[in-house]
Amino acid sequence: MTAIASTLPDWNPLSLWYSDGWTVTKRNLIKIKRSPDMLVFAVIQPIMFVVLFSQVYAGAIQVQGTDYVQFLMAGIFAQTVVFGATFSGAAMAQDLKEGIIDRFRSLPMSASAVLIGRTNSDLVLNTISMVIMMATGLAVGWRVNSTVPEFLAGVGLLLLFGYAFSWVMALLGMSVKSPEVINNASFLILFPLTFISNAFVPSETLPTPLRIFAEFNPVSSLVQAARQLFGNEGSAPVPDIWTMQNPILTVLIGVAVMLIVFVPLCIRKFASISSR
Amino acid sequence: MTIIEARGLTKTYKSKSGPVHALAGLDLTVPRGTVKALLGPNGAGKTTVVKMLTTLIRPDSGTALVDGIDVVANPKGVRRIIGVSGQYAAVDENLTGFENLEMVGRLYHLGGRAARKRAHELIDLFELTAAGNRPVKGFSGGMRRRIDLAGALVINPKVLFLDEPTTGLDPRSRLALWDVIKRLVADGTTVLLTTQYLEEADQLSDDIMVIDGGKAIAEGTSDELKAQIGGHRLVIALVNAADSAPARQIMARYGSGEPTVTTDGRGVEVAVTDGPAGLQHVLAELGAAGIDLHDAGMRRPTLDDVFLKLTGHKADLSVTDDDETDAAKPAKGRRARTDNPSDASSDTPPRELVK
Ligand SMILES: Nc1ncnc2c1ncn2[C@@H]1O[C@H](COP(=O)(O)OP(=O)(O)O)[C@@H](O)[C@H]1O
Ligand SMILES: [Mg+2]
């Protein structure tokens, strides 16, 4: 056999962390490129949501001070980034089932590289979905009524929230027995979280218990923040709750909390998992 | 001289039917440059040992050093010098063979250029050209296994771990893989391999440790073990069950142990040290005594024989609960539990048949 140096170059931890994370990201992106069903999920579904909701409900739902399409788009963006995060969980569970995690864990790579690669590639996927949704939105009459920096901040905030939520879902993905479990579980969590919110209808139109849930729902803050930054607010009164009155700050705090809690938990979990 | 040194390894899993002692105090020593086979039935604890030594799971108690590095205290140090091919091929289905190997090279930190160069070399070495540029998805179990094994050799590892490397392969792929492993061994790589096949341990290893219930029950070279269980087996099938007593007496004279008679009284079997000579003598005497035979021949000892001899009970090859999970991995090629590599391998002497 040809000799290969078994004394490997000394890498400093930071460049190791970066290059290993990038290697795994590339691997995940190749995977996405080669499985059409994932691409369909990321591309077709957002188009469908924008077109269906804007056409079906536009006449039925009244929004004070603006038309429904303007109101709807931030809601669909938020829903898409939150759903996109579940992909991180399903993919971790799948890798565990296929045994590739054992290969990764037997290599001298950075302990967080697989997780960083996972959440990074899902960020890429979410970005692609966002661009497609925006194009579709513009086609059905959506308009951004804010400055360029505000618009970019809105996009950044949505993607950041999705990224942080990916870490939450990744932990779930490593904790369940099979990828099917995570798919079912995440739908049970995500449907209420996205639908009992201000994403598709103004929350004040909901029956009281649901309205209260919707007003405290973090997804509502995300949607409210995006509406503000895109200038799609309309003139409806915002619920008199701190998290809804300060949606951008709320989202930033939420993102920080998710990352501070779940990144270390994920890394710890990863260090002890092994497929059977 | 020793490169693997493990003392008192234990691991207990919780299960619905109470605790499972996967390892119950296992000691293991492997000298540098040798091949050690862990031989044992399903559920013996083979995978658990391999996972501990490759830093995938931590022992509940006990210590293990690989090339002097503690697997618990410095897992990364161990990972830098080992190559692993686990029981189920750990390859990415959506990547090509080349991409899989390049990725592994990068994660060993060879750098992009060296990783690609090494991937090309391994593709040639393992004759993986067909899988080089197409996603692994569509390929056979044998091909997957080879890519996985190639992944374990991206660096020249100081120790190579192979967990049931040929389980689930057809006889031809099994022989091909044996060749690859033999070549590696000739280069002086230390190998720890696990298997359920005595034949495989015999073919590939210098030293065999038989394990059952998470403990070592015998250890030695393949010759030493065979001497203990008595090389070949002579097997005859009688026309008349009434002849079993005299046939048994005759076979006892040439056997290295007590002959056994099947419950229907027609089959008699005994272990012998020299198979061919023993068979000739037994046939001559049976002929002289006028005993009619349906069939006579010799066979190699199997794991079952080893177990029967060492533990007094048969190897438990029954389906254990972990097979349920395995059933969910159809692509990994579940082994048919009855396939004995000696049945089909071309280097097995044909079974002599006398009518
Ligand atoms: N993750 C696990 N959870 C529960 N039991 C396990 C787990 N892994 C292995 N076992 C049990 O431990 C025992 C030894 O398993 P293993 O090391 O896989 O055996 P082998 O590789 O020799 O077939 C078996 O009884 C198996 O069912
Ligand atoms: Mg095993």
Side-chain angles (χ1 to χ4, degrees):
Chain A
M1 309 211 98
T2 350
I4 267 273
S6 36
T7 35
L8 304 167
D10 261 337
W11 288 60
N12 75 59
L14 198 67
S15 63
L16 200 148
W17 173 84
Y18 173 81
S19 77
D20 288 353
W22 174 234
T23 302
V24 179
T25 306
K26 258 194 333 204
R27 169 247 178 187
N28 293 337
L29 291 177
I30 293 176
K31 240 174 136 82
I32 291 170
K33 203 177 75 189
R34 294 206 182 130
S35 12
D37 47 328
M38 284 184 209
L39 269 188
V40 168
F41 184 82
V43 173
I44 309 288
Q45 179 170 296
I47 296 182
M48 222 170 66
F49 268 107
V50 173
V51 173
L52 278 181
F53 274 87
S54 65
Q55 302 310 305
V56 175
Y57 295 124
I61 300 171
Q62 298 302 315
V63 186
Q64 217 174 305
T66 182
D67 65 276
Y68 186 62
V69 176
Q70 313 306 321
F71 175 85
L72 170 72
M73 286 308 290
I76 291 192
F77 292 145
Q79 188 209 30
T80 303
V81 295
V82 169
F83 270 59
T86 63
F87 191 67
S88 286
M92 286 307 292
Q94 188 67 30
D95 282 354
L96 198 56
K97 180 181 163 191
E98 282 175 6
I100 188 84
I101 293 285
D102 279 2
R103 167 66 73 208
F104 287 139
R105 285 199 53 233
S106 72
L107 294 171
M109 62 195 283
S110 156
S112 53
V114 171
L115 292 156
I116 288 175
R118 180 78 267 151
T119 48
N120 274 355
S121 55
D122 293 342
L123 180 61
V124 172
L125 206 59
N126 257 344
T127 310
I128 295 173
S129 294
M130 283 283 267
V131 171
I132 291 168
M133 278 187 296
M134 289 187 172
T136 317
L138 291 173
V140 296
W142 173 61
R143 292 296 175 265
V144 178
N145 301 309
S146 60
T147 63
V148 172
E150 278 174 326
F151 166 74
L152 292 177
V155 175
L157 205 64
L158 284 161
L159 291 176
L160 197 62
F161 188 89
Y163 179 79
F165 198 53
S166 282
W167 285 88
V168 179
M169 296 311 291
L171 185 69
L172 215 67
M174 289 187 283
S175 311
V176 296
K177 280 224 160 71
S178 79
E180 289 73 35
V181 177
I182 184 107
N183 279 333
N184 297 338
S186 44
F187 277 98
L188 282 180
I189 303 169
L190 295 188
F191 268 102
L193 214 53
T194 50
F195 279 88
I196 310 174
S197 75
N198 61 356
F200 303 106
V201 293
S203 55
E204 69 267 17
T205 63
L206 296 169
T208 311
L210 295 186
R211 180 179 56 80
I212 293 169
F213 180 90
E215 285 173 357
F216 284 96
N217 185 346
V219 173
S220 295
S221 298
L222 179 65
V223 174
Q224 183 62 25
R227 274 185 194 137
Q228 273 184 16
L229 290 166
F230 294 151
N232 295 147
E233 280 177 289
S235 56
V238 178
D240 194 19
I241 298 171
W242 192 87
T243 56
M244 291 302 287
Q245 292 292 333
N246 305 278
I248 299 173
L249 199 56
T250 303
V251 172
L252 287 175
I253 293 171
V255 165
V257 169
M258 281 194 276
L259 291 177
I260 289 168
V261 173
F262 285 92
V263 171
L265 283 181
C266 276
I267 292 175
R268 246 187 59 191
K269 180 78 188 169
F270 185 79
S272 69
I273 54 171
S274 171
S275 62
R276 268 199 77 184
Chain B
M1 267 315 280
T2 31
I3 191 157
I4 300 179
E5 180 93 62
R7 289 287 160 265
L9 293 179
T10 68
K11 182 82 190 176
T12 304
Y13 287 109
K14 289 188 277 294
S15 85
K16 274 166 255 152
S17 46
V20 177
H21 300 287
L23 287 185
L26 189 92
D27 298 336
L28 177 70
T29 305
V30 182
R32 201 178 290 273
T34 65
V35 183
K36 171 84 102 193
L38 294 180
L39 176 66
N42 214 359
K46 303 182 295 297
T47 298
T48 307
V49 182
V50 170
K51 283 193 171 177
M52 270 179 195
L53 295 174
T54 56
T55 76
L56 294 181
I57 56 176
R58 285 161 163 262
D60 292 343
S61 67
T63 56
L65 303 179
V66 177
D67 199 26
I69 307 170
D70 189 304
V71 296
V72 175
N74 185 6
K76 221 176 231 177
V78 172
R79 292 171 192 177
R80 263 195 273 271
I81 58 164
I82 60 170
V84 190
S85 176
Q87 182 165 359
Y88 303 102
V91 292
D92 194 313
E93 304 271 307
N94 291 288
L95 300 191
T96 65
F98 180 83
E99 286 164 345
N100 265 290
L101 296 174
E102 185 197 350
M103 177 177 76
V104 172
R106 283 178 181 273
L107 295 174
Y108 269 117
H109 308 130
L110 302 181
R113 262 194 38 204
R116 277 191 299 277
K117 182 163 166 285
R118 184 60 179 161
H120 280 302
E121 285 171 9
L122 288 166
I123 295 269
D124 290 342
L125 190 72
F126 284 81
E127 290 154 20
L128 289 167
T129 325
N133 296 314
R134 270 187 287 160
V136 175
K137 217 180 271 176
F139 289 97
S140 66
M143 187 73 99
R144 247 172 258 249
R145 258 286 164 205
R146 273 187 285 160
I147 297 170
D148 194 54
L149 187 59
L153 295 167
V154 165
I155 56 165
N156 273 353
K158 286 191 178 170
V159 186
L160 176 62
F161 293 89
L162 304 173
D163 194 3
E164 299 200 25
T166 68
T167 295
L169 295 191
D170 58 275
R172 211 167 58 94
S173 314
R174 173 175 290 140
L175 286 178
L177 205 61
W178 282 2
D179 273 347
V180 172
I181 296 169
K182 282 176 186 169
R183 263 191 284 159
L184 288 172
V185 170
D187 285 347
T189 311
T190 306
V191 181
L192 181 72
L193 72 91
T194 77
T195 180
Q196 302 198 26
Y197 308 124
L198 182 59
E199 169 92 9
E200 184 161 281
D202 190 10
Q203 285 277 331
L204 300 177
S205 68
D206 301 309
D207 220 9
I208 300 172
M209 181 187 246
V210 184
I211 66 172
D212 185 32
K215 281 200 282 269
I217 57 172
E219 188 165 15
T221 63
S222 136
D223 286 341
E224 285 164 0
L225 279 180
K226 279 190 179 158
Q228 265 194 57
I229 57 166
H232 282 90
R233 292 282 187 283
L234 293 190
V235 195
I236 60 167
L238 298 165
V239 174
N240 300 310
D243 288 335
S244 67
R248 194 175 176 284
Q249 279 180 1
I250 291 168
M251 288 178 73
R253 283 207 285 282
Y254 297 97
S256 56
E258 278 296 298
T260 54
V261 181
T262 54
T263 42
D264 69 357
R266 291 228 165 103
V268 188
E269 180 174 332
V270 72
V272 290
T273 34
D274 185 349
L279 186 66
Q280 279 179 351
H281 288 126
V282 166
L283 286 179
E285 289 216 20
L286 288 171
I291 295 173
D292 290 331
L293 299 177
H294 265 313
D295 195 354
M298 54 184 205
R299 63 172 181 85
R300 298 189 164 196
T302 63
L303 181 59
D304 259 324
D305 300 317
V306 177
F307 265 72
L308 203 56
K309 180 71 186 183
L310 293 173
T311 66
H313 66 82
K314 287 214 159 229
D316 181 16
L317 298 176
S318 62
V319 181
T320 55
D321 60 347
D322 69 345
D323 285 46
E324 274 170 45
T325 351
D326 295 338
K329 308 173 176 171
K332 310 281 148 59
R334 244 344 247 181
R335 155 191 38 89
R337 268 176 297 105
T338 48
D339 63 348
N340 183 325
S342 62
D343 289 347
S345 61
S346 53
D347 58 351
T348 306
R351 182 171 162 156
E352 289 98 327
L353 285 178
V354 182
K355 186 80 202 186

